[in-house]
Amino acid sequence: MWTSLAITSLLAASIPIPSILAQTDSQGLGWHFVQNGSTQLTALEAIVVSPTLLVVFDRVRGDPLQINGHQAWGAIWNTETNNVTAIDVLTDSFCASGGFLSNGTMVSVGGQPVEIPDGETVAPDEDGLMGVRIWEPCLDPAGVNCTLFENPATHSLAEKRWYPTSLRIFDGSLMIIGGIRINTAFFNDKNLSTSSFEFFPKKDGGIPRPSEFLDRSLPANLFPRSFALPDGKILMIANNQTIIYDIETQTETILPDIPNGVRVTNPYDGTATLLPLSPPDYIPEVLVCGGTNATDQITNDDVGAALSSQDPASDQCTRMILTPEGIEKGWELDDRMPEGRMMPEMILMPNGKVLVINGAETGFAAIATVRDPVGQSNADNAALTPVLYDPAAPLGNRFDREGLPTTDIARLYHSSVSLLPGGNIFIAGSNPGRGVHLDDKFPSEFRVEYLNPPYMTVPRPSLSSAQKKIGFNERFTVDVNIPEGLNASSIKVSLMDLGFSTHAFHSSSRLVFLEATLSEDQKTLELVSPPNNRVYPPGPAWLYLTVDDVTSKGIQVMVGSGGTPPLPDEGVPIPLRK
Ligand SMILES: *[C@@H]1O[C@H](CO)[C@@H](O)[C@H](O)[C@H]1NC(C)=O
Ligand SMILES: *[C@@H]1O[C@H](CO)[C@@H](O)[C@H](O)[C@H]1NC(C)=O
Ligand SMILES: *[C@@H]1O[C@H](CO)[C@@H](O)[C@H](O)[C@H]1NC(C)=O
Ligand SMILES: *[C@@H]1O[C@H](CO)[C@@H](O)[C@H](O)[C@H]1NC(C)=O
Ligand SMILES: *[C@@H]1O[C@H](CO)[C@@H](O)[C@H](O)[C@H]1NC(C)=O
Ligand SMILES: *[C@@H]1O[C@H](CO)[C@@H](O)[C@H](O)[C@H]1NC(C)=O
Ligand SMILES: *[C@@H]1O[C@H](CO)[C@@H](O)[C@H](O)[C@H]1NC(C)=O
Ligand SMILES: *[C@@H]1O[C@H](CO)[C@@H](O)[C@H](O)[C@H]1NC(C)=O
């Protein structure tokens, strides 16, 4: 059902030469892992906040990175210098989530209670379970003077949330979903579950909305995989269950379960992504991969007897088209991954393919609870070679590993990964252990690695735009430069939210293809923005141009008015757009 973008090109004729990427590896072409720099803490959460910077978070357990006389558990990573700068975070952000609001501010929510580092008597942190951490747009390329604002007295969640999901919705607010009220060894628990939704900024006078779905999907339902659909409703997957939640009518509609008993949320982490949305219909389709078919009919007390670090992870992928007809069909079995994966992540690439990376071939998420942990890791057999998935390829041909390199750095529990504005991939973290432990098979991992796609080593197209703000259903132009030798009849323009990465999920990650027309002189692209604020929730985005499978660097734009949420509906309904 995935249709590739129809491009109207005014180009009279293209030069018949083979794609530049078809050349051989001897010229430095191809995919490469490049290790550079150290975060000096475990980057278990990561979000791109500017052309050069990511914000990363960890826990309070003895990391080397220091600030103001104590261990740092937040930092800025600079992709230009490959250097880290500590941030003085107030509340404990361990296993929090986050995302951007419509006004460009990034908000981190939830976390854990106060934690006293080993060998110390004083906690450097404050309780983070209801934490709200605000990162205002940071304009300095090195992050000078950029910092988090926190004031628990005036800014906090309504409920305690460890392991929640947060997601930008159609009015530019964050919806905050689920979690647990206190740390758990493995599963969520009926008595402790935060089975509700709330919003930032607050709605409903700050009263959370109870969710039957979050109760029903216990106990393996942490970090619910949640997506803003192009009609504004929210798709949620937790354990092996699926619903659509209508924020406006406050109703949950039950969709089919994931087939074959496969479960995909923490501590049974598979992953999921909304596939790229394409004009003119923007038909939503979700892809779910990995996780486990282990039983959920056990309690925390049974985990030691029932589960092993050697239990194979699921290699199953399934898709569902989220139209009435698609839902009627339910989950459709897709191609299997080349190997099973617990804790994989999926990265939307600007050309519309999906990179599956990280995780383990056996075991589970969480720490030292299975009968045979490896060190403290519940997972073993790290998956070290990523694989590309092409949603538009015919069934049977969707996974392709040709040319993808293998790393020697395992990225298991508490790792993060993100597409960067530069078009390459940032990979950090992994710490399947309670504190810093450097001599285990799967140690606390501070090394940063980049995965560079083939287009990083060839002349690339570029985009430049004077217009930093884009309305909905708006025609606008950007200047382009297309290197000689690329087939300019083959262009794709993607508008992307790079998402917030943690625990094998990339919340708010999104790719919307734009209608694009290249001028005859190939110097200008005329683009049409998404029809309305439900197709792309208002907020920051990156615009990439892919010509002949060579992708430009992204340029940052603000989609919508840039105003503070909640924002009113804007644009035109999908079927009515011109
Ligand atoms: C250039 O791209 C267009 C659109 O994908 C395709 O139809 C055409 O065959 C390509 N030309 C060459 C020379 O590869
Ligand atoms: C690591 O990054 C720094 C800063 O960008 C750069 O100067 C250095 O050459 C890089 N090292 C490697 C091995 O790529
Ligand atoms: C890296 O950061 C440290 C402190 O955060 C600073 O002292 C050092 O000069 C920086 N190095 C580079 C290459 O920017
Ligand atoms: C950072 O803040 C200090 C103190 O307010 C100011 O002197 C300095 O110019 C600022 N630097 C930048 C790059 O904004
Ligand atoms: C939940 O609380 C009830 C009442 O206190 C108790 O009987 C039950 O055992 C608890 N369940 C779990 C899973 O702890
Ligand atoms: C989903 O999990 C529940 C609870 O373990 C189970 O009863 C149900 O059969 C599962 N659904 C499918 C389709 O396997
Ligand atoms: C569970 O998954 C494993 C690993 O993929 C597979 O070998 C096994 O057949 C599955 N069991 C069921 C009942 O589907
Ligand atoms: C965006 O909105 C939030 C919530 O009202 C507010 O805390 C933040 O300061 C705003 N940011 C900007 C840049 O106006």
Side-chain angles (χ1 to χ4, degrees):
M1 250 329 291
W2 192 89
T3 49
S4 64
L5 174 62
I7 297 295
T8 328
S9 175
L10 300 180
L11 188 65
S14 56
I15 310 141
I17 63 149
S19 163
I20 195 158
L21 298 186
Q23 294 170 30
T24 64
D25 218 359
S26 60
Q27 298 155 54
L29 289 165
W31 292 83
H32 298 285
F33 277 112
V34 177
Q35 196 269 309
N36 198 332
S38 163
T39 48
Q40 299 175 57
L41 50 62
T42 302
L44 66 92
E45 298 154 41
I47 183 167
V48 171
V49 294
S50 84
T52 48
L53 306 175
L54 296 105
V55 168
V56 297
F57 292 106
D58 189 19
R59 75 188 300 181
V60 184
R61 271 295 179 115
D63 289 321
L65 191 65
Q66 298 288 308
I67 188 162
N68 295 336
H70 61 79
Q71 182 221 309
W73 58 95
I76 303 170
W77 180 258
N78 186 326
T79 58
E80 298 283 300
T81 61
N82 289 306
N83 205 2
V84 69
T85 307
I87 307 174
D88 204 355
V89 186
L90 183 66
T91 61
D92 196 310
S93 52
F94 182 51
C95 303
S97 61
F100 283 100
L101 303 176
S102 54
N103 63 10
T105 290
M106 191 275 285
V107 184
S108 151
V109 293
Q112 72 159 357
V114 167
E115 182 164 35
I116 300 176
D118 294 335
E120 295 184 28
T121 51
V122 181
D125 58 339
E126 291 187 19
D127 189 334
L129 278 165
M130 295 163 82
V132 172
R133 309 168 196 90
I134 296 179
W135 176 267
E136 300 291 7
C138 170
L139 301 179
D140 183 79
V144 176
N145 292 347
C146 299
T147 190
L148 278 181
F149 165 82
E150 285 181 272
N151 182 351
T154 55
H155 291 68
S156 73
L157 297 180
E159 293 217 67
K160 296 179 177 179
R161 295 182 191 271
W162 197 53
Y163 284 67
T165 288
S166 51
L167 176 68
R168 189 168 72 260
I169 61 167
F170 60 85
D171 69 4
S173 315
L174 280 189
M175 179 173 183
I176 303 153
I177 303 165
I180 180 167
R181 286 197 284 276
I182 193 155
N183 303 31
T184 174
F186 195 71
F187 286 125
N188 198 349
D189 174 303
K190 172 102 179 143
N191 290 355
L192 303 173
S193 175
T194 315
S195 293
S196 69
F197 313 135
E198 63 177 287
F199 299 87
F200 184 85
K202 292 185 192 304
K203 297 189 193 299
D204 316 319
I207 312 291
R209 302 179 177 185
S211 167
E212 286 174 17
F213 166 67
L214 290 174
D215 268 342
R216 214 171 45 239
S217 57
L218 288 163
N221 72 354
L222 294 169
F223 285 113
R225 281 29 177 188
S226 306
F227 305 93
L229 298 176
D231 62 0
K233 296 188 180 114
I234 309 298
L235 177 79
M236 293 185 199
I237 304 164
N239 196 332
N240 64 346
Q241 300 182 32
T242 313
I243 61 160
I244 288 179
Y245 178 69
D246 185 329
I247 293 173
E248 289 153 297
T249 61
Q250 304 195 26
T251 47
E252 298 184 351
T253 303
I254 297 177
L255 271 51
D257 286 355
I258 294 173
N260 299 325
V262 171
R263 308 173 196 283
V264 297
T265 44
N266 183 271
Y268 286 167
D269 289 280
T271 194
T273 189
L274 191 64
L275 293 175
L277 295 167
S278 298
D281 298 323
Y282 305 95
I283 292 168
E285 184 165 7
V286 67
L287 168 69
V288 172
C289 292
T292 178
N293 61 10
T295 179
D296 67 346
Q297 303 298 303
I298 54 174
T299 69
N300 280 332
D301 294 337
D302 307 322
V303 172
L307 303 180
S308 162
S309 61
Q310 306 307 308
D311 291 344
S314 177
D315 58 0
Q316 176 174 292
C317 292
T318 47
R319 276 162 77 154
M320 184 161 37
I321 300 169
L322 297 153
T323 57
E325 309 78 59
I327 291 167
E328 184 71 33
K329 278 192 185 164
W331 291 102
E332 296 194 82
L333 288 173
D334 199 351
D335 290 346
R336 291 184 173 273
M337 294 187 287
E339 61 277 303
R341 285 191 194 231
M342 173 61 48
M343 305 176 283
E345 270 226 51
M346 292 198 291
I347 303 290
L348 292 170
M349 298 298 291
N351 65 359
K353 293 186 183 174
V354 181
L355 182 80
V356 181
I357 190 167
N358 293 355
E361 295 182 23
T362 64
F364 301 92
I367 295 161
T369 35
V370 299
R371 68 171 164 273
D372 53 355
V374 179
Q376 295 173 31
S377 174
N378 280 348
D380 196 6
N381 300 297
L384 299 172
T385 312
V387 61
L388 269 178
Y389 174 90
D390 183 352
L395 196 63
N397 289 299
R398 291 181 180 159
F399 282 104
D400 184 5
R401 171 160 275 167
E402 201 183 322
L404 282 159
T406 298
T407 177
D408 57 3
I409 306 180
R411 304 289 180 176
L412 306 184
Y413 203 45
H414 296 149
S415 55
S416 61
V417 54
S418 182
L419 180 70
L420 293 172
N424 54 341
I425 287 132
F426 166 88
I427 311 156
S430 191
N431 186 12
R434 293 205 183 82
V436 171
H437 55 113
L438 300 174
D439 42 13
D440 279 354
K441 179 173 176 190
F442 302 119
S444 306
E445 186 56 71
F446 302 138
R447 287 174 292 176
V448 169
E449 200 167 36
Y450 296 95
L451 176 59
N452 292 341
Y455 51 70
M456 299 296 287
T457 47
V458 300
R460 300 167 71 183
S462 64
L463 289 174
S464 59
S465 173
Q467 187 178 347
K468 298 292 176 221
K469 214 178 258 184
I470 301 167
F472 292 101
N473 195 41
E474 188 177 291
R475 279 182 193 278
F476 66 108
T477 57
V478 295
D479 294 335
V480 296
N481 186 290
I482 298 177
E484 230 175 282
L486 296 184
N487 178 356
S489 301
S490 169
I491 55 177
K492 285 180 177 170
V493 178
S494 44
L495 185 76
M496 298 187 71
D497 188 317
L498 303 181
F500 182 102
S501 166
T502 195
H503 289 78
F505 184 53
H506 231 92
S507 59
S508 301
S509 156
R510 201 173 196 80
L511 191 168
V512 180
F513 281 119
L514 302 187
E515 267 177 48
T517 311
L518 186 63
S519 67
E520 205 160 344
D521 65 3
Q522 298 190 18
K523 300 244 177 281
T524 313
L525 264 181
E526 188 180 75
L527 303 174
V528 186
S529 68
N532 61 54
N533 57 300
R534 294 175 182 236
V535 173
Y536 191 94
W542 298 89
L543 201 56
Y544 297 87
L545 167 65
T546 301
V547 182
D548 204 2
D549 228 20
V550 179
T551 297
S552 71
K553 292 184 176 175
I555 57 169
Q556 195 170 22
V557 294
M558 175 59 83
V559 183
S561 66
T564 288
L567 295 177
D569 278 331
E570 280 188 78
V572 294
I574 292 169
L576 294 187
R577 74 179 307 203
K578 7 181 213 319

